[in-house]
């Protein structure tokens, strides 16, 4: 397996420059948005250990087909590369293979675009077999259009899981045909993973526990919130894409009802199309969720724009049939990091929002109560009279419903329980000798 940019940087500090090509015609004069986008790119690069020695927004009059940048901008970068000893230039934009090659020739250093950078980060973060398969598939689909003059016999200039590799590294694929064959195999393996995940979801439906999925912009604090609610130790750092693979844990709500909490990959603006397709299995947990917790970094200056990016992805899932059209009714907006704004009391929630700090725990009790309320709002209250010897039916009701009243008689028990419509139907189908009583 090829060495990733992240792994190389563990032993050798790589000096990098980050540039953001910013088209005036497309964005107007909104330099605040440009600076925010540049800082996000800096965060992405820093998250895999690159040493950022220079960053800049470059205004474009027009995108040049050969190099993207203008002649004067390239000349300035040539000077900067030599003066600062820059090893890699990260262009926060999509580059064509020709533009990438031409810039490397002009500047005398490695050049990667936004897609290549994010793929390297995903390669460093993937911890499970599913995540590794997804990353490799995305890499190969990205490389397939970039093979011309980049590969030589038994060595390569770019490919695999890193974009700084040079001659001497192990060759993964020799040509388009071999890459195509590998992509076919990866897609089959991923389909098997998806089928397995589908079986797991079916098993959860048989239990069944409601699923609560965390979604949000990367670095919004989803994994920190996941850990705070579950007591787990999911990797959570103040960096972009700290978590890739979905993680699930059972938690108990104030009512005593159990739910499954699922932490998912963070969203980001202009996510590479290769990753949108490759990480579809990760987003399936969102599609299956009974409640979607949209976690926002409310203290971030671009919180509103980040919210729009997340909603755009979810709306796209709905258009593609991956998400039910009524998904907005399942969303609870979680305004995280209120400790940076004076606490939850300074930012009161609404019927659709809950203000919290996953770091300090402020507001988590209100969030748990809101989840509880949302789950129970669609449930039915029903009373059953059970024989004292009917322990299996009694245990089933305690496991799947919320028992809100119980009166024990000498040979019978009256149980008042709150159940979902699906659970009530299942109970009465499993225990046909039990009939509901009027509440």
């Amino acid at each position: 397996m090829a060495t990733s940019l992240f792994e190389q940087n563990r032993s050798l500090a790589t000096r990098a420059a980050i540039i953001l090509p910013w088209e005036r015609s497309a964005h107007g004069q909104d330099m605040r948005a440009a600076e925010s986008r540049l800082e996000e790119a800096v965060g992405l690069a820093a998250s895999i250990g690159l040493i950022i020695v220079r960053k800049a927004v470059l205004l474009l009059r027009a995108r040049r087909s050969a190099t993207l940048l203008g002649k004067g901008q390239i000349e300035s970068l040539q000077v900067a590369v030599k003066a600062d000893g820059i090893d890699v230039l990260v262009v926060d934009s999509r580059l064509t293979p020709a533009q990438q090659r031409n810039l490397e020739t002009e500047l005398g250093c490695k050049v990667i675009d936004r897609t290549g950078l994010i793929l390297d980060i995903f390669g460093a973060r993937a911890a499970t077999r599913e995540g590794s398969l997804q990353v490799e598939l995305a890499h190969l689909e990205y490389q397939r259009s970039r093979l011309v003059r980049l590969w030589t016999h038994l060595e390569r200039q770019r490919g695999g899981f890193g974009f700084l590799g040079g001659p001497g590294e192990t060759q993964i694929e020799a040509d388009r045909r071999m890459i195509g064959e590998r992509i076919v195999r990866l897609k089959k393996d991923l389909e098997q993973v998806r089928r397995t995940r589908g079986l797991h979801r079916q098993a959860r439906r048989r239990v069944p526990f409601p699923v609560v999925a965390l979604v949000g912009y990367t670095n919004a604090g989803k994994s920190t919130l996941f850990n705070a609610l579950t007591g787990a130790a999911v990797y959570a750092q103040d960096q972009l894409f700290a978590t890739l693979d979905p993680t699930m844990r059972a938690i108990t709500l104030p009512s005593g009802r159990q739910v499954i909490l699922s932490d998912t990959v963070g969203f980001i603006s202009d996510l590479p199309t290769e990753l949108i397709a490759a990480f579809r299995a990760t987003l399936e947990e969102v599609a299956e969720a009974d409640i979607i917790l949209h976690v926002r970094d409310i203290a971030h200056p671009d919180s509103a724009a980040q919210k729009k990016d997340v909603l755009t992805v979810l709306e796209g899932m709905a258009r593609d049939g991956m998400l039910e059209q009524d998904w907005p009714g399942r969303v609870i907006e979680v305004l995280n990091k209120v400790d940076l704004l004076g606490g939850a009391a300074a930012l009161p929630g609404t019927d659709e929002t809950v203000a919290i700090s996953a770091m300090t725990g402020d507001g988590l009790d209100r969030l748990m109560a809101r989840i509880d309320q949302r789950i129970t709002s669609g449930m039915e209250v029903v009373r059953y009279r059970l024989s004292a010897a009917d322990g299996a039916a009694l245990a089933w009701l305690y496991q799947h419903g919320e028992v809100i009243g119980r009166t024990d008689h000498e040979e019978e028990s009256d149980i008042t329980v709150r159940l979902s419509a699906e659970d009530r139907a299942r109970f009465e189908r499993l225990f046909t000798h039990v009939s509901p009583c009027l509440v």
Side-chain angles (χ1 to χ4, degrees):
M1 181 180 293
T3 305
S4 74
L5 184 88
F6 175 74
E7 292 167 337
Q8 292 173 28
N9 291 334
R10 288 177 177 172
S11 57
L12 179 64
T14 301
R15 297 168 64 84
I18 315 294
I19 64 167
L20 170 64
W22 195 252
E23 294 181 81
R24 296 181 183 180
S25 58
H27 303 285
Q29 300 298 323
D30 189 2
M31 290 307 297
R32 191 195 68 79
E35 291 294 338
S36 178
R37 171 67 178 258
L38 178 64
E39 288 305 315
E40 179 178 279
V42 169
L44 287 168
S47 70
I48 52 171
L50 291 177
I51 307 302
I52 313 303
V53 298
R54 184 178 290 264
K55 60 181 181 179
V57 177
L58 301 184
L59 296 177
L60 300 181
R61 293 187 178 89
R63 300 174 70 91
R64 295 176 177 265
S65 59
T67 58
L68 179 65
L69 307 176
K71 182 178 180 181
Q73 292 169 330
I74 291 178
E75 291 174 351
S76 297
L77 286 173
Q78 288 172 337
V79 174
V81 167
K82 292 181 180 179
D84 296 334
I86 293 170
D87 301 302
V88 57
L89 175 71
V90 179
V91 181
D92 190 23
S93 180
R94 180 82 181 219
L95 294 175
T96 67
Q99 288 171 340
Q100 191 171 9
R101 288 196 304 273
N102 293 338
L103 284 173
E104 287 184 339
T105 300
E106 294 282 352
L107 301 177
C109 70
K110 294 295 181 182
V111 176
I112 61 175
D113 63 1
R114 181 178 177 85
T115 301
L117 176 63
I118 294 176
L119 287 172
D120 257 309
I121 295 170
F122 274 43
R125 299 283 185 267
T128 65
R129 171 170 167 76
E130 176 189 4
S132 299
L133 288 173
Q134 291 168 333
V135 169
E136 185 179 356
L137 175 61
H139 267 291
L140 292 176
E141 289 181 334
Y142 175 72
Q143 293 164 17
R144 186 157 48 177
S145 64
R146 296 168 185 262
L147 291 177
V148 180
R149 285 181 288 177
L150 297 181
W151 295 55
T152 58
H153 184 60
L154 297 181
E155 67 181 36
R156 63 177 174 79
Q157 298 297 322
R158 186 182 297 106
F161 293 101
F163 291 90
L164 295 186
E169 290 184 324
T170 303
Q171 178 177 347
I172 296 179
E173 309 291 349
D175 52 27
R176 290 181 183 274
R177 179 184 58 79
M178 293 180 68
I179 282 188
E181 291 173 353
R182 178 62 179 160
I183 286 174
V184 170
R185 289 197 298 271
L186 285 171
K187 288 183 175 179
K188 288 181 179 178
D189 289 344
L190 272 173
E191 189 57 39
Q192 180 59 47
V193 169
R194 290 177 185 133
R195 282 197 294 268
T196 301
R197 287 165 65 86
L199 293 175
H200 291 167
R201 282 194 295 273
Q202 290 176 15
R204 291 201 299 272
R205 291 192 196 104
R206 286 194 297 270
V207 171
F209 293 133
V211 176
V212 178
L214 299 174
V215 302
Y217 208 79
T218 186
N219 210 31
K222 297 185 306 303
S223 295
T224 303
L225 176 59
F226 184 90
N227 290 341
L229 294 178
T230 65
V234 173
Y235 183 63
Q237 290 292 325
D238 184 20
Q239 61 186 26
L240 303 178
F241 292 125
T243 304
L244 282 185
D245 299 290
T247 307
M248 283 173 265
R249 296 287 189 280
I251 63 173
T252 303
L253 298 175
S255 65
R257 186 177 181 88
Q258 282 195 315
V259 299
I260 295 174
L261 189 65
S262 173
D263 186 17
T264 61
V265 64
F267 296 90
I268 194 170
S269 61
D270 297 333
L271 187 69
T273 55
E274 295 90 349
L275 286 177
I276 292 175
F279 279 75
R280 180 167 181 158
T282 303
L283 300 179
E284 286 177 358
E285 294 302 328
V286 179
E288 293 291 327
D290 298 274
I291 294 177
I292 300 171
L293 297 185
H294 177 191
V295 183
R296 293 177 56 190
D297 178 358
I298 198 62
H300 196 284
D302 284 321
S303 182
Q306 293 177 354
K307 172 183 177 179
K308 183 178 179 182
D309 286 329
V310 172
L311 295 182
T312 297
V313 173
L314 295 177
E315 289 164 356
M317 291 173 62
R319 286 194 301 271
D320 293 341
M322 292 178 61
L323 198 58
E324 296 293 335
Q325 294 297 325
D326 65 349
W327 68 267
R330 290 185 272 149
V331 174
I332 298 175
E333 198 169 280
V334 181
L335 309 181
N336 192 26
K337 303 190 182 182
V338 295
D339 53 300
L340 303 178
L341 301 175
L347 192 68
T350 66
D351 290 341
E352 289 78 29
T353 65
V354 179
I356 68 153
S357 169
M359 186 65 68
T360 67
D362 190 9
L364 291 187
D365 54 343
R366 290 189 293 276
L367 176 59
M368 292 284 278
R370 181 67 59 84
I371 296 172
D372 216 343
Q373 177 187 16
R374 185 68 67 88
I375 288 176
T376 58
S377 63
M379 300 174 74
E380 304 175 1
V381 176
V382 61
R383 194 180 78 185
Y384 295 102
R385 178 161 292 178
L386 304 178
S387 167
D390 204 349
L394 184 63
W396 200 100
L397 291 176
Y398 269 99
Q399 183 179 11
H400 298 86
E402 179 188 353
V403 176
I404 57 179
R406 174 175 173 175
T407 303
D408 293 321
H409 306 288
E410 188 172 340
E411 295 183 357
E412 294 178 323
S413 294
D414 287 335
I415 304 293
T416 303
V417 60
R418 185 180 284 115
L419 290 167
S420 68
E422 294 82 0
D423 280 345
R424 176 179 175 178
R426 289 183 63 240
F427 176 78
E428 294 174 5
R429 187 168 60 250
L430 288 171
F431 303 94
T432 54
H433 60 284
V434 178
S435 299
C437 306
L438 295 177
V439 178

